[in-house]
Amino acid sequence: MVADRYRGTLPGRLRLARLACVLLTAGLPVLLVVAAAGASTTWDETAGRDAPRTISATRLNLALNDMDAQSANILLSSGDSGMGKGRLEESYAKANGFYRDAQETISRSLRALAAASEGDPATEATVVGLTDDFAHYQELVGRALENDSRPASKDAAREDYRSATDLLSDRLLPEARRLVDANNAVYERQYAAARGDLDLQRTTEAVLGVLLVAALVLLQIYLARRFHRVFNPGLIAATLCAVVAVVCSAQLFTVTHDRMKVARRDSFDSVIALSRSKAIGYDANADESRYLLDPDRRTTYERSFLDKSHQLYGIVGARLDTYDAKLGESWSAYRRDHND
């Protein structure tokens, strides 16, 4: 009844029109504040948690492959360490340096992942398992290096290294890859949710903006007819301000939307892909050292090397003895025509 009374009089109708415009006007800044707070939270979570967790996992995967390759290189370049004969001093020193660097990277990554996984039981369990397996792996490598320092103990060192690399391939690397996938999936869910919220907010902003401009225009027409005035300067100014505010708000939503996409799809996805490719390349490099170090497993390491080569650059029908030639042909064709 009160609404009917307001609509029944001119002052009442003007008050209702003013209330509608005020509510629509207030809704826009409130929506912008909510959207800005949501975007800020998303960026903070991405920069402080999601991206670092995923990057730590990719570094762990990469360093594990590098550490095993350097272990093989140490054993290859040491000669008969117990007899002090045949050591390749430069290669031996470099391999030891790279080994320690990879060891430190793994330790830092595990600490970072342990801190970041608090409250996530599945990830915590994976990190704990990785830490335990890494300790066992270091024990096996340490035993191999200790045996290698004794006279005529190369076979024993080789056997310990074989156990270490089996542990790496059977448990450590699969766990590290699962950790990369799990953290990347969490980031992907956060990204999808943030983009969904932003899409909804952008649509709501467009609806509110159109309603506000329409209300101001209709009020201008109503006043012009009712009071026989062609223009109302205040309403014209308010309408122009509303149009500018709506356009700027839409631009802000669009820029935020695009930057989220760039950060995730155009930047972070390529980092993950490159890190995975690099880890595969390091593992393939380790297969070359393992091939030289362990003659009894040469067939296995040949097959493993070819498989990793195909993961990096698959060539249909290429075998180990034809892969290089086919790779050269494929790359030459690509250079002639980048659309091929």
Side-chain angles (χ1 to χ4, degrees):
M1 298 298 294
V2 175
D4 290 340
R5 180 163 55 85
Y6 271 102
R7 287 195 297 267
T9 64
L10 178 60
R13 287 194 292 270
L14 291 176
R15 290 191 187 98
L16 285 175
R18 182 181 63 187
L19 178 62
C21 291
V22 169
L23 290 176
L24 290 171
T25 302
L28 280 174
V30 169
L31 179 63
L32 288 175
V33 169
V34 171
S40 178
T41 300
T42 298
W43 287 119
D44 289 343
E45 289 179 348
T46 298
R49 186 188 64 185
D50 297 331
R53 277 173 52 170
T54 308
I55 289 174
S56 293
T58 58
R59 285 176 178 167
L60 173 66
N61 188 29
L62 179 62
L64 284 169
N65 282 299
D66 189 27
M67 186 174 176
D68 197 63
Q70 300 310 323
S71 301
N73 290 335
I74 291 171
L75 294 173
L76 275 173
S77 59
S78 64
D80 191 343
S81 298
M83 301 297 291
K85 294 187 298 186
R87 176 181 289 184
L88 304 174
E89 294 294 345
E90 184 177 354
S91 298
Y92 184 79
K94 284 184 176 180
N96 270 285
F98 291 143
Y99 176 89
R100 287 191 295 270
D101 290 343
Q103 190 178 40
E104 179 60 27
T105 298
I106 294 168
S107 298
R108 286 199 307 267
S109 297
L110 286 172
R111 289 194 298 269
L113 288 166
S117 64
E118 291 181 1
D120 185 348
T123 305
E124 283 183 344
T126 302
V127 173
V128 170
L130 260 169
T131 304
D132 292 342
D133 288 339
F134 180 59
H136 187 202
Y137 172 83
Q138 290 186 98
E139 179 185 350
L140 291 170
V141 172
R143 191 187 305 164
L145 297 177
E146 182 181 353
N147 282 328
D148 190 50
S149 67
R150 297 170 181 164
S153 295
K154 202 72 171 182
D155 288 340
R158 192 178 290 117
E159 186 62 34
D160 287 327
Y161 174 74
R162 184 181 292 173
S163 299
T165 197
D166 285 344
L167 176 63
L168 180 85
S169 60
D170 293 342
R171 297 180 62 174
L172 278 167
L173 289 180
E175 287 172 346
R177 285 191 287 266
R178 282 197 297 272
L179 205 55
V180 173
D181 293 339
N183 283 288
N184 195 39
V186 170
Y187 184 15
E188 178 65 25
R189 287 196 295 272
Q190 296 282 355
Y191 167 76
R195 292 260 297 193
D197 291 343
L198 204 57
D199 287 336
L200 178 61
Q201 291 161 354
R202 184 163 59 175
T203 301
T204 304
E205 183 269 343
V207 172
L208 286 176
V210 169
L211 289 176
L212 175 60
V213 172
L216 290 171
V217 170
L218 289 175
L219 182 57
Q220 173 77 36
I221 294 173
Y222 176 77
L223 291 177
R225 290 179 177 177
R226 186 68 180 79
F227 294 100
H228 305 291
R229 296 179 61 182
V230 178
F231 297 114
N232 185 301
L235 279 178
I236 292 176
T239 303
L240 291 176
C241 290
V243 171
V244 171
V246 170
V247 171
C248 291
S249 300
Q251 183 66 21
L252 178 63
F253 279 111
T254 300
V255 169
T256 305
H257 195 274
D258 291 343
R259 286 184 177 176
M260 280 189 182
K261 177 180 178 296
V262 168
R264 173 63 196 184
R265 295 288 177 246
D266 299 344
S267 299
F268 198 78
D269 282 357
S270 61
V271 171
I272 296 297
L274 182 60
S275 297
R276 284 174 170 159
S277 299
K278 198 172 182 181
I280 293 170
Y282 275 38
D283 202 11
N285 172 255
D287 281 334
E288 294 179 310
S289 299
R290 295 168 190 142
Y291 175 91
L292 296 173
L293 179 67
D294 193 353
D296 293 340
R297 286 191 172 185
R298 282 186 172 174
T299 301
T300 299
Y301 293 138
E302 283 181 345
R303 188 166 55 248
S304 177
F305 181 85
L306 179 62
D307 178 63
K308 294 180 180 79
S309 299
H310 279 294
Q311 288 181 52
L312 290 171
Y313 195 106
I315 302 175
V316 177
R319 305 185 307 273
L320 193 61
D321 58 339
T322 62
Y323 183 89
D324 287 348
K326 289 182 177 292
L327 176 62
E329 293 172 4
S330 175
W331 192 242
S332 296
Y334 173 73
R335 285 186 169 182
R336 288 192 301 269
D337 181 7
H338 285 192
N339 295 317
D340 185 356

